[in-house]
Amino acid sequence: MATTPDPQFSEESTAGLPLLEQRDWLRFTLSSIGDAIVTTDALGSVTFLNRAAEDLTGWPNAEAVGLPLETVVRIIKEVGREPIENPATRALREGTTAGLVDDCLLLARNGTELPIDDSSATIRNELGEITGVVLIFRDSTEPRRRVREVRQAFEYDEEILATLSEPFLVLDENLRVRTANSAFYAQFLVTPQETIGRLLRELGNGQWDIVSLRTLLQNAVLGASAVEDFQVDHDFETIGPRTVLLNARGFRRVPDQPPLVLFSIKDITDRERSNAVLRESELRFRRLFLTAKDGILILDAKLGTIIEANPFICGLLGYELEEFLGKELWQIGLFRDKKANQAAYQKLRTEGYIRYEHLPLRTKQGDEVEVEFVSNLYRVGSRHVAQCNIRDITLRCRMERRDKDQAAALADLHRRKDEFLAMLSHELRNPLSPILNAVQLLRVEGNENAIQREARDIIERQVGQLSHIIDDLLEVSRFTSGKIRLHPIRLEMKGVVVRGIESARPFITRRRHVLTLDLPEKPIWLNADPARLEQVVVNLLNNAAKYTDEGGQIWLSLRTDGSDMVLSVRDSGIGIDLKEFPDIFDLFTQASRSLDRSQGGLGIGLSLVQRLVEMHQGTVEVKSDGLGRGSEFRVRLPLMMASEPVLSPPEIVGAAEPTKQGWRLLVVDDNVDSAEVLAKLLRRTGHDVQTAYTGPDALIAAAEYVPDLILLDIGLPGLNGYEVARRIRENPGLKQVKLVAITEYGQDSDRQLASEVGFDEHLVKPVNFAKILELLTAMLAPPDIKV
């Protein structure tokens, strides 16, 4: 906009000049001015155009004089091209100075359009009366272009600012905010009204009102220096505690204009927190590294050389830290040689992890230490490292070797115990067998008096009790060594229970108990080992009979419950104290009793019951209301749902024909008493019997006598019973001979070995003579003799 002062053409300005000279002087003056000047009279008619006005309007002065000003100087809006009242006309009308609004165009005589700036003022006489008006204007094409460029530049800058993700301010030379980007408003939760035009130090709650910062920014305005990473920790009014970095730089966007300051704000709160956590982590690691009771080595992952070692590994190997640095592991005694080191390190680089349970390590002094070695790769900043953790396991290895030696010693002790039990069984059964046979011989003779008969019964009962004790000891050995093997078949449980009752009945009868049975009419089918289940029934009945005062009650029931079979044995006996329940099934555990109530036994039976039931996937539980109130043992086993009939055992074929005097039998036993007593019993029942006492004698007797069946002891001098059986089976002339082992060795492995060498049956001493007669009947065709 033109700012030419209001010209007043008065007498004072031309005083002393002739009128013509005054007019010429005025026109000369106006013509020499660079701005376009147009004058009018009081009616608005043109009175003069200077050369610049002629050029811009296209009207010569001679033609323009006398024309209305609106004809010569036509002004329109740049936008819309609408005519605008000439400011000179308004000045004449209002008697004031007037100017154009922005963005106006001069429409020249030839139709060209020029952007102009103008102003107008009235011309007054000596009386102050308006005699005309002067209009001053100029071509503003170039200034407007510069303004547009500046505006576009600022708009471009503001677009750039808007795209910045960090808060950004533009400050003027007084550090007053000229503009702010959207990130600033979003970060600090403020509005443009609270920001634009305000001094930087006035923003928020004075977070930027820092003397040292203000000094740096003033230097930036002057171009002396920039503000770089000025850190501010502040509790901001809108966003709380934050840590930010400030950067600022002064610049001049437009020459000859005051400088501006670009002011950026970077929030590093999260980074600082992460760094604090990292520093804390590094501090903890360093503390652990230095105080760890394991050796730690840090290796350069690329070179495989040590870059750091903790004090423990220095002490373990006897090296100073400086002696570790730059060395490979094999050079400090961790691997046999460089080749082994490289192989391990290659595996580490391939898999990222290696572990050695027992790695010998040699110290600087030459001592060997056994260590556990673990290594893995990871990155520290831009560097890959390998961390090696080395644990001294010398003491642990010593303890492991001691434990191994102890385990071996225990295993050897266990083996010796089994051998001792087997030998004990052998040594106990050996004399028991002739004693029992002698007692049975007395029974067969039948000419004893009442005292002799009572004595025989006592001996017979006690031999049976001693035999049960030996059996229990051997069962314990089998269980503890895991040698018990089940031989399950499809069986009917009622028959197993009946056989168990018959086995336990003598003991129940001797103690004058009343046994009440509740057995089902329908069969109950199980997939189980019949011998072992019979053993369960016998042990439960014997336990009930043992711990019930003479003349007591025992109840046995068998039923089904859903998919289970339930066997219950209940008694009216001494009961069980509640504190004894947790241990009732432990080995060698018996109910509390005084010396006068001692019932004998080893406390093995219930433990065997539980283990046998559990081997059949079943459970056994005990109930008792306390001492003196009896007890109940309840066994649950899974039912077999199939209903096919039980297969009968196969018939034994190939038996020889008996002689008229009975079967030809050979008894072989190194215990002469046992052999002779058994031979006498067999002869009294009508059989032809010969005896032998050694292995070689047994082979000779078998070849010469050709018996139908041989009752053969295993522990024979010269040749043991297994070798005798093997050679008999190799003799074609003795193929039809039946072999029965009668031995003190009763474990499963003994039975298996006997079967492998050719024995048909296996009996364990002492053998009830009735059992031998049953076996003869089963193995051979019934002879026409007295049994």
Side-chain angles (χ1 to χ4, degrees), residues 152-432:
Q152 290 172 355
F154 275 114
E155 291 175 352
Y156 176 73
D157 291 343
E158 288 180 352
E159 288 296 325
I160 293 176
L161 292 180
T163 62
L164 295 178
S165 60
E166 295 177 354
F168 200 92
L169 299 174
V170 178
L171 310 176
D172 64 15
E173 72 276 16
N174 297 316
L175 305 183
R176 192 179 299 275
V177 180
R178 287 192 57 172
T179 185
N181 68 347
S182 58
F184 178 85
Y185 298 126
Q187 175 73 32
F188 295 100
L189 303 177
V190 293
T191 64
Q193 290 77 15
E194 298 171 298
T195 307
I196 303 301
R198 299 187 64 182
L199 292 171
L200 180 67
R201 69 173 183 271
E202 297 174 344
L203 298 182
N205 57 355
Q207 60 259 27
W208 316 124
D209 189 11
I210 304 170
V211 175
S212 57
L213 174 62
R214 193 157 58 246
T215 300
L216 291 173
L217 289 174
Q218 289 168 347
N219 289 335
V221 170
L222 299 174
S225 61
V227 179
E228 295 184 350
D229 290 342
F230 185 92
Q231 183 167 320
V232 175
D233 295 286
H234 187 78
D235 188 356
F236 291 85
E237 183 178 20
T238 53
I239 60 175
R242 311 296 290 179
T243 300
V244 297
L245 290 181
L246 307 180
N247 286 273
R249 187 176 300 276
F251 86 112
R252 291 179 184 271
R253 188 70 179 81
V254 179
D256 302 326
Q257 291 292 321
L260 301 175
V261 176
L262 301 180
F263 185 84
S264 70
I265 306 168
K266 184 176 183 179
D267 189 342
I268 60 169
T269 305
D270 292 341
R271 189 183 78 183
E272 286 298 293
R273 289 173 181 168
S274 298
N275 288 341
V277 172
L278 180 60
R279 286 192 298 271
E280 179 64 24
S281 175
E282 290 175 347
L283 181 62
R284 287 198 304 270
F285 172 78
R286 196 69 193 170
R287 191 179 297 120
L288 290 172
F289 180 81
L290 294 175
T291 61
K293 297 307 178 184
D294 287 341
I296 303 176
L297 295 173
I298 307 298
L299 279 62
D300 183 302
K302 184 176 181 181
L303 301 176
T305 54
I306 299 171
I307 58 176
E308 197 164 5
N310 75 335
F312 187 87
I313 192 66
C314 294
L316 180 64
L317 294 181
Y319 289 97
E320 297 295 329
L321 175 62
E322 293 74 16
E323 296 180 272
F324 277 114
L325 302 181
K327 288 187 171 62
E328 295 182 39
L329 297 179
W330 69 274
Q331 294 176 297
I332 62 168
L334 259 174
F335 291 94
R336 292 189 310 275
D337 50 34
K338 186 173 183 179
K339 184 177 180 181
N341 186 109
Q342 290 176 339
Y345 202 69
Q346 182 60 42
K347 181 180 180 182
L348 173 63
R349 296 184 65 177
T350 302
E351 301 180 7
Y353 173 86
I354 56 174
R355 180 188 185 96
Y356 295 96
E357 291 288 346
H358 297 276
L359 187 67
L361 181 153
R362 191 167 297 280
T363 68
K364 184 178 181 180
Q365 293 75 25
D367 299 327
E368 190 169 281
V369 179
E370 200 158 6
V371 299
E372 179 183 66
F373 179 89
V374 179
S375 182
N376 61 291
L377 295 175
Y378 59 91
R379 181 192 293 269
V380 178
S382 59
R383 187 179 193 180
H384 284 90
V385 299
Q387 178 173 321
C388 304
N389 290 69
I390 302 161
R391 174 169 295 178
D392 183 358
I393 59 171
T394 303
L395 180 59
R396 190 180 83 186
C397 291
R398 189 179 303 132
M399 294 176 65
E400 286 176 353
R401 284 191 290 270
R402 185 190 65 187
D403 291 346
K404 186 176 180 180
D405 292 343
Q406 288 178 345
L410 287 174
D412 183 64
L413 185 62
H414 191 70
R415 178 184 57 79
R416 290 173 179 271
K417 180 260 297 178
D418 286 345
E419 292 176 353
F420 170 76
L421 288 176
M423 186 57 64
L424 179 64
S425 169
H426 174 82
E427 295 301 326
L428 290 176
R429 290 182 193 278
N430 218 18
L432 283 179

Side-chain angles (χ1 to χ4, degrees), residues 478-498:
R478 294 189 189 104
F479 271 114
T480 55
S481 60
K483 294 180 179 179
I484 289 291
R485 295 292 183 269
L486 297 182
H487 303 285
I489 62 170
R490 187 168 179 270
L491 58 83
E492 201 283 307
M493 187 61 187
K494 182 178 177 181
V496 173
V497 171
V498 170

Side-chain angles (χ1 to χ4, degrees), residues 47-88:
T47 61
F48 174 76
L49 277 77
N50 72 351
R51 180 62 58 83
E54 288 178 336
D55 293 339
L56 293 179
T57 63
W59 287 89
N61 180 64
E63 294 182 26
V65 172
L67 295 176
L69 179 63
E70 300 288 350
T71 301
V72 176
V73 182
R74 298 167 59 193
I75 302 174
I76 62 174
K77 288 183 178 180
E78 185 173 3
V79 179
R81 298 301 192 269
E82 299 174 0
I84 298 176
E85 183 183 30
N86 196 299

Side-chain angles (χ1 to χ4, degrees), residues 547-564:
Y547 293 108
T548 300
D549 291 335
E550 290 189 2
Q553 295 280 335
I554 300 175
W555 296 268
L556 183 148
S557 68
L558 179 67
R559 60 185 176 84
T560 59
D561 181 15
S563 60
D564 292 337

Side-chain angles (χ1 to χ4, degrees), residues 528-539:
D529 186 326
R532 292 303 180 180
L533 288 192
E534 181 179 337
Q535 189 176 0
V536 168
V537 175
V538 171
N539 281 357

